[in-house]
Amino acid sequence: MAIPVIDFSKVNGTGEERARTMAQIANGCEEWGFFQLMNHGIPEELLEKVKKVCSEYFKLEREEIFKNSAVANTLKALAEKNSGEKLENVDWEDVITLLDDNEWPSKTPGFKETMTEYRAELKKLAEKVMEVMDENLSLPKGSIKKAFDDGEGQNAFFGTKVSHYPPCPHPELVNGLRAHTDAGGVILLFQDDVVGGLQILKDGQWIDVQPMKNTIVINTGDQIEVLSNGRYKSTWHRVLATPDGNRRSIASFYNPSLKATIAPAPELVEKDNEEIDQTYPKFLFGDYMSVYAEQKFLPKEPRFQSVRAM
C-alpha cells in the first residue's frame, strides 16, 4: 500500500483527464489525508538549490550543536544504562522555523534568497490546492482561503519548518518525531529524496511515505477536517529515527490566522435544508492552538471537545 501520487499539472487540463485528476485528489483527501504531487509547477532548479542550501546549513551551523544537544546526551546515557527504557517525550530532530519576520540563518551562502523564493512558490501552490479542495467540496472558489484569512485581507499564517533527522545510534530507543496530527490547514512537505522514515497511520497500520525525487507531499490538518465537516480527515503520522542517512525535511504550513473563526462550511451542514449532524464546534483558531500546544501527541477528538467548552 502506498500513498497516492498525482500529476498536478492535469488539473489545468479539460474534460475526462481533469475530472480524473480532481477525483484522485478528492480520494487523497478523503481516504488518505496524504498524497504526493508531481508536476506541481515549482521549478526543479529551485528545488535542487533548496536541497543544497538546507543540507549545507545543517552541516555548517547545526551538526555540531546537535551532537552535544540534550536529546543526544540523554539518549547516550539511556543506552549506557541498558534498561530497555525508551525516550518518550523528545524527538530526534533538529529544527528551525522560518517566518516572514523572524531571524533566519545567515552564515550559509544563498540560504535566505533561496528559501525566500521557495516559500513564495509554496504559498502559491498551497492556494491552488485549496481551490481544488473548494471545488471538490462544492464550495464557492476561495472559501477555504477566506476562512483562513479571517474573512478579508491576507491574514493567514504561513510558516516553514526546516528539519534534519541525523543518523541515530539507538533508533529503537527514540522517535524521529512522535505520532501526531497537524493542527493547521494545508501542509506541503518537501522530503528527502533518499532517506525514508515518514509513516502515516492507515486502517490501523503504519505505512511508509515513499521518498520520490522532487515531489511535494500534501497533507490535511485538523482545520481542513473541521471546515469539510469531517469529509477530509487529518491523519496521524510520525517519523522514525534511522541509523544511517541524514534525513532532510522541509514542511510548510498554510494555517488560519489566530483570529480566524473556524467551523464547518455552512454549505456542508445545510445541504437540502436538512441539518447534517454537525460534529465539529465553532472556535477561534488561536484557542485551538493553545489546546493543541498541550495535547499535540494525544488523540485529536478531545481537542475538539476542549475547544467547544471555551
Side-chain angles (χ1 to χ4, degrees):
M1 204 156 44
I3 75 162
V5 179
I6 299 166
D7 182 344
F8 197 56
S9 65
K10 297 199 167 143
V11 298
N12 301 322
T14 51
E16 217 170 279
E17 187 178 68
R18 182 177 192 273
R20 195 164 49 240
T21 308
M22 295 294 284
Q24 285 173 340
I25 295 170
N27 172 264
C29 294
E30 287 172 24
E31 299 297 325
W32 293 83
F34 265 78
F35 50 94
Q36 300 212 45
L37 295 183
M38 51 192 275
N39 298 327
H40 39 62
I42 297 167
E44 294 266 327
E45 189 187 348
L46 176 59
L47 293 177
E48 292 299 331
K49 281 195 326 206
V50 167
K51 287 189 267 198
K52 183 170 179 284
V53 295
C54 288
S55 296
E56 283 172 359
Y57 153 73
F58 179 74
K59 280 223 155 333
L60 190 65
E61 302 190 44
R62 301 293 298 191
E63 195 165 33
E64 286 309 310
I65 295 169
F66 189 82
K67 280 177 186 164
N68 301 305
S69 65
V71 64
N73 290 329
T74 312
L75 182 65
K76 190 178 174 197
L78 192 65
E80 283 164 3
K81 226 163 82 179
N82 200 15
S83 62
E85 193 188 338
K86 291 182 79 168
L87 267 187
E88 294 297 348
N89 297 319
V90 293
D91 303 303
W92 187 260
E93 177 191 39
D94 180 79
V95 61
I96 58 153
T97 304
L98 307 178
L99 306 172
D100 289 338
D101 54 2
N102 70 342
E103 205 171 314
W104 290 21
S106 54
K107 292 181 198 160
T108 305
F111 183 90
K112 190 162 188 185
E113 298 77 359
T114 301
M115 294 309 287
T116 300
E117 187 184 346
Y118 172 74
R119 274 169 48 78
E121 289 285 341
L122 260 276
K123 197 171 180 183
K124 284 189 284 192
L125 178 59
E127 289 173 353
K128 278 187 205 156
V129 168
M130 292 192 300
E131 284 183 2
V132 169
M133 289 177 181
D134 288 333
E135 188 176 333
N136 275 333
L137 290 166
S138 305
L139 297 175
K141 185 175 178 175
S143 291
I144 296 174
K145 183 180 185 307
K146 193 172 176 185
F148 284 7
D149 276 335
D150 184 25
E152 296 306 321
Q154 297 282 333
N155 305 319
F157 169 90
F158 189 71
T160 300
K161 191 179 106 167
V162 179
S163 301
H164 284 86
Y165 301 91
C168 182
H170 305 284
E172 71 291 351
L173 299 181
V174 67
N175 290 294
L177 180 58
R178 287 162 281 168
H180 62 288
T181 66
D182 288 323
V186 175
I187 298 86
L188 306 95
L189 172 70
F190 182 28
Q191 67 162 351
D192 205 282
D193 290 350
V194 181
V195 185
L198 175 63
Q199 296 185 322
I200 68 165
L201 189 62
K202 167 92 168 129
D203 303 330
Q205 67 182 93
W206 287 102
I207 297 164
D208 292 327
V209 176
Q210 64 279 24
M212 285 182 69
K213 191 172 182 190
N214 293 348
T215 57
I216 300 290
V217 178
I218 305 290
N219 73 285
T220 47
D222 296 346
Q223 307 316 305
I224 293 288
E225 180 168 329
V226 175
L227 282 164
S228 70
N229 205 26
R231 181 136 22 130
Y232 295 171
K233 293 279 193 285
S234 61
T235 298
W236 284 88
H237 54 288
R238 68 182 183 187
V239 178
L240 301 178
T242 52
D244 38 38
N246 181 16
R247 183 175 188 277
R248 179 195 58 253
S249 166
I250 303 154
S252 296
F253 300 83
Y254 199 113
N255 289 354
S257 146
L258 290 174
K259 293 184 179 141
T261 300
I262 302 295
E267 296 87 343
L268 301 178
V269 183
E270 295 152 7
K271 267 196 172 159
D272 308 324
N273 298 328
E274 285 178 43
E275 286 264 331
I276 298 172
D277 171 39
Q278 190 170 328
T279 317
Y280 299 92
K282 184 177 190 172
F283 53 84
L284 279 181
F285 181 60
D287 288 345
Y288 188 82
M289 284 308 286
S290 52
V291 170
Y292 183 84
E294 302 290 317
Q295 301 181 18
K296 176 174 179 176
F297 302 108
L298 299 173
K300 66 181 166 183
E301 289 71 23
R303 302 200 287 257
F304 295 130
Q305 295 318 315
S306 301
V307 94
R308 185 192 290 273
M310 289 171 94

